Amino acid sequence: MNIGTVTVDSRLVLAPMAGVTDLGFRTICRELGAGYTITEMVSAKALCYQDKKSIPLLKLGEEEHPAAAQIFGSDPVCMEEAAAIAGEVSGAEVIDINMGCPVPKVANSGDGSGLMRTPELAVKVAEAVIRGAGGRPVTVKMRLGWDKGSINCVELSQALEAVGVAAIAVHGRTRSQQYAGTANLDLIREVKNALHIPVLANGDVFEGKDALRILKYTGADAVMIGRGCFGNPWLFQQAQAALEGGDIPPLPPLAERCDTAMRQFAINAAHKGEKIACLEARKQYCWYLKGVPYAGYWKEQICHVETMADLERINAGIKRDLK
């Protein structure tokens, strides 16, 4: 897949997810088969006002290339400036615009998926980001539309392609659906058939075979994996095996999964500081234990961790007591 001048040697992409796809998790997913990753979304206004908490969100790993830095906002002037800052700070090859976030505090202010309610402004935002990106390709991640009565993904995608956007990722749900129901693959296929630039299909990849099914049905250039990899970065290995027509490998033993989680948290502790990394690990480690029998006691313990030492003690206990 060629995103402008950037070549991605994979059809498996890790979706950008706030509070999830931090440096540690992206590093693990890259090692397990994600060929392209995108930072958590970063507020354009925060970048323009030089918010110190936002800059670290743009840090990429040494081996994390090619990758994209994602920004969100609806003010073209601010978005142009933010694109330049994001590109310089991150060193990312691509700048991605978030037009899909359904969170009310983002969407209701006209940012994220709220931009789909104002397509003319969305196009102006894209033009501004292209100007600010310094020659880097610019991509957009969107939904089908605001609600089922205003689905405009095909028309908006065509308008964005016309002004120079290099690729479009489509989550097959409307903003109103949030994450309910199933992704509409028919509309993703319509977007793919209407464009000449790469299209990434997003939504409902929970097993390796889902990636193959979605790519075949939609004709998309790549599949973007989101919630399915929460606590299961091995989903990328399983999806790659499905694409290659081989046997889909099972999850590794619990002890290996736990040690992988700990490595993720260690990366984040070095990057964000121990306190923040441990607070975030409270939910992230529980994802790794989803479906593990008799894990309730340890999940309760995880919800109170404050230090890496706490996590190491719990990790040892899980590996000792659970299989």
Side-chain angles (χ1 to χ4, degrees):
M1 175 173 65
N2 292 316
I3 301 175
T5 57
V6 177
T7 298
V8 178
D9 293 324
S10 174
R11 303 187 75 187
L12 301 176
V13 176
L14 175 62
M17 294 173 283
V20 179
T21 52
D22 51 27
L23 177 60
F25 189 60
R26 296 198 315 270
T27 298
I28 298 298
C29 289
R30 292 294 289 234
E31 292 174 358
L32 292 171
Y36 183 67
T37 45
I38 306 165
T39 68
E40 299 174 75
M41 66 178 189
V42 180
S43 165
K45 288 183 178 179
L47 292 178
C48 291
Y49 287 113
Q50 300 180 337
D51 175 56
K52 293 182 180 179
K53 294 181 180 180
S54 298
I55 294 297
L57 294 174
L58 294 168
K59 178 178 174 59
L60 300 179
E62 291 183 4
E63 305 298 324
E64 193 180 0
H65 295 279
Q70 189 186 72
I71 58 176
F72 76 94
S74 53
D75 178 350
V77 175
C78 185
M79 287 289 278
E80 181 175 349
E81 181 180 348
I85 296 171
E88 180 179 355
V89 169
S90 68
E93 289 81 2
V94 177
I95 302 297
D96 187 67
I97 306 170
N98 185 307
M99 295 189 188
C101 179
V103 175
K105 69 177 182 180
V106 173
N108 290 343
S109 65
D111 300 338
S113 59
L115 274 171
M116 299 197 74
R117 305 180 79 179
T118 54
E120 291 183 0
L121 177 58
V123 171
K124 290 180 180 178
V125 165
E127 290 176 315
V129 172
I130 290 170
R131 289 194 298 270
R136 294 177 175 85
V138 171
T139 59
V140 169
K141 185 174 187 293
M142 65 170 64
R143 286 191 166 233
L144 302 180
W146 182 259
D147 55 32
K148 65 180 181 180
S150 57
I151 291 174
N152 61 346
C153 54
V154 175
E155 297 85 356
L156 180 55
S157 295
Q158 290 175 314
L160 292 169
E161 179 183 33
V163 298
V165 167
I168 301 284
V170 184
H171 182 146
R173 291 177 173 85
T174 64
R175 184 269 168 187
S176 297
Q177 282 182 277
Q178 297 276 336
Y179 298 97
T182 57
N184 188 321
L185 301 183
D186 291 319
L187 285 169
I188 296 178
R189 184 166 62 178
E190 285 189 32
V191 172
K192 172 58 185 172
N193 290 338
L195 302 183
H196 299 93
I197 56 176
V199 171
L200 291 70
N202 178 217
D204 294 355
V205 180
F206 297 106
E207 299 179 8
K209 61 184 180 181
D210 292 333
L212 178 61
R213 172 180 57 84
I214 290 169
L215 287 172
K216 281 187 173 181
Y217 189 84
T218 63
D221 300 272
V223 64
M224 183 175 274
I225 300 176
R227 293 171 297 145
C229 65
F230 284 12
N232 181 21
W234 297 273
L235 181 56
F236 288 97
Q237 283 186 338
Q238 295 170 332
Q240 186 60 45
L243 296 187
E244 294 173 355
D247 294 333
I248 296 178
L251 285 176
L254 178 61
E256 182 179 334
R257 305 202 304 268
C258 290
D259 286 344
T260 297
M262 287 299 297
R263 196 156 61 84
Q264 175 185 329
F265 307 147
I267 294 170
N268 285 336
H271 174 52
K272 305 177 181 182
E274 184 176 20
K275 181 178 180 180
I276 294 175
C278 288
L279 287 174
E280 293 176 346
R282 292 178 179 182
K283 65 177 180 182
Q284 294 168 345
Y285 202 155
C286 288
W287 289 338
Y288 278 92
L289 296 178
K290 182 179 179 181
V292 176
Y294 312 112
Y297 168 79
W298 291 112
K299 288 181 180 178
E300 175 63 25
Q301 295 292 305
I302 289 167
C303 290
H304 301 287
V305 298
E306 295 184 353
T307 66
M308 287 299 293
D310 291 338
L311 283 169
E312 289 166 1
R313 173 181 56 81
I314 289 170
N315 190 58
I318 291 172
K319 291 196 295 182
R320 179 189 67 237
D321 296 345
L322 303 178
K323 299 295 181 183

